[in-house]
Amino acid sequence: YCTHLARSYIESHSTDGDLEDLARAEFLNILLSHQAWSDESEFIATKVLLTEIGRRLSEKFSEHKFRSSVVAKLRDSNVIIASSSRGYKLPSSLADIREFASFANTIIPPMVSRIEKANRGLRDATMGAADFLNEDEFRQLKKLVDALEVGT
């Protein structure tokens, strides 16, 4: 399923787009090739991906730009990409998805908790005047804080 999503993305997105479009296609091509020719449990390190994409496109990407303009945009387009501290890969099993969820679980709940603590501290220090989680810009974040019942 994950392989199908990656191939469908490549087929449905023009290869004559901007640099970031090309980088997304190259990233998926690298992941597909890796999946076909390597041990399915192996991830590709971010530095290796950056080097290979840079070589193929004759353009360097920072890690931040790679994560925000390539990986995040693909995930926003419903392409499932597993990541861990070891790098990236296309999931080939439910265990891969679980490992990705476990990785996210070590990051997302603590971050949401820290946001809630910061908001609570500012709100208390300003007697309710500063409550950034009630701003429209942070509506989704407030839903996460409320859903996780952070701070209670």
Side-chain angles (χ1 to χ4, degrees), residues 64-89:
H64 173 72
K65 186 171 183 174
F66 170 70
R67 287 188 173 106
S68 62
S69 299
V70 176
V71 180
K73 297 256 179 158
L74 287 167
R75 287 177 170 157
D76 290 344
S77 296
N78 299 320
V79 178
I80 302 172
I81 301 165
S83 60
S84 76
S85 59
R86 296 169 295 170
Y88 296 90
K89 66 182 255 177

Side-chain angles (χ1 to χ4, degrees), residues 4-36:
H4 169 75
L5 292 173
R7 286 190 179 123
S8 293
Y9 182 91
I10 293 168
E11 290 171 9
S12 66
H13 289 78
S14 173
T15 56
D16 60 348
D18 67 15
L19 183 63
E20 291 173 3
D21 289 330
L22 295 172
R24 286 188 282 276
E26 289 303 327
F27 173 62
L28 291 176
N29 280 320
I30 293 166
L31 293 184
L32 286 165
S33 177
H34 180 77
Q35 187 178 52

Side-chain angles (χ1 to χ4, degrees), residues 6 18-19 27 29 35-36 46 52-53 56-57 67 72-73 78 94 96 112 119 144:
D18 67 15
L19 183 63
F27 173 62
N29 280 320
Q35 187 178 52
T46 304
E52 185 59 22
I53 292 169
R56 291 181 183 195
L57 299 178
R67 287 188 173 106
K73 297 256 179 158
N78 299 320
L94 189 54
D96 288 343
V112 172
N119 189 64
L144 282 172

Side-chain angles (χ1 to χ4, degrees), residues 71-128:
V71 180
K73 297 256 179 158
L74 287 167
R75 287 177 170 157
D76 290 344
S77 296
N78 299 320
V79 178
I80 302 172
I81 301 165
S83 60
S84 76
S85 59
R86 296 169 295 170
Y88 296 90
K89 66 182 255 177
L90 290 174
S92 58
S93 67
L94 189 54
D96 288 343
I97 298 294
R98 283 191 176 116
E99 183 176 1
F100 173 55
S102 179
F103 179 64
N105 196 43
T106 66
I107 298 167
I108 297 167
M111 287 185 75
V112 172
S113 177
R114 291 178 195 122
I115 292 293
E116 190 280 331
K117 288 175 186 175
N119 189 64
R120 184 172 8 109
L122 288 169
R123 189 180 61 233
D124 292 349
T126 62
M127 296 187 299

